[in-house]
Amino acid sequence: MPKKTVFVTVGTTLFEDLIDGVLSDTALDWMIANTYTNLVLQYGKGRFPTFNYADRDELDITLYDFRPSLERDMDSADLIICHAGAGTLMEALTKGKTVLTVINTKLMNNHQTELAYALGKSNHLLVVEEPSQLYLASTWERLESFVPVPFEPSDEHDIPRLLDTFLGVAKSTKKDE
């Protein structure tokens, strides 16, 4: 049977609620039931994750705080679960992977919301509005039928334009040269 990998990242942020939710019995049971064999978890600035290892023999779990690059882990993942930071989302989406993003509602001004919803509305990724939803079986069941629309940026300005549109930033105009 081929190996399937879930990669979880919080980037450089502190987002222990995402980590705790992904390591919940509900989430781990879903991963095992859906034949995932590897869970690679980058927990960032947070505490070293603890969870119930009992009955998790089917899942090879790797935990780390930081690496110079997440590219190798993203490349080998079948499913990427991440915070909704722009850099992480763009890197994950350009890999052509299924992406589940969790909004960090504790951030000041909750700036991740607009980008996550814009990409979710286009079906490029699946949005979880808050980490507590990771404890619900229905959140994980949504993944089973989710088919992402491939994200194909046409140029390096796509994301800034997307952000400008959803944040209501006026576009500058150039005078005729």
Side-chain angles (χ1 to χ4, degrees), residues 42-132:
Q42 182 266 325
Y43 58 89
K45 294 179 182 177
R47 64 178 161 20
F48 185 82
T50 59
F51 61 100
N52 183 1
Y53 285 91
D55 301 322
R56 305 288 184 231
D57 294 346
E58 307 95 328
L59 205 52
D60 181 22
I61 301 173
T62 303
L63 306 166
Y64 66 90
D65 55 359
F66 296 103
R67 288 190 178 152
S69 172
L70 302 179
E71 185 171 14
R72 186 186 71 191
D73 292 321
M74 286 190 179
D75 284 342
S76 63
D78 298 285
L79 169 62
I80 297 173
I81 301 172
C82 61
H83 67 118
T88 300
L89 287 180
M90 292 306 95
E91 187 174 0
L93 289 172
T94 58
K95 300 286 183 188
K97 307 294 180 162
T98 299
V99 177
L100 174 71
T101 190
V102 182
I103 297 170
N104 189 345
T105 54
K106 291 182 181 178
L107 290 178
M108 197 165 107
N109 299 326
N110 203 8
H111 68 278
Q112 295 184 353
T113 304
E114 291 86 4
L115 178 60
Y117 285 138
L119 293 167
K121 184 177 180 181
S122 300
N123 288 318
H124 295 305
L125 51 77
L126 201 56
V127 177
V128 173
E129 296 175 356
E130 58 183 65
S132 64

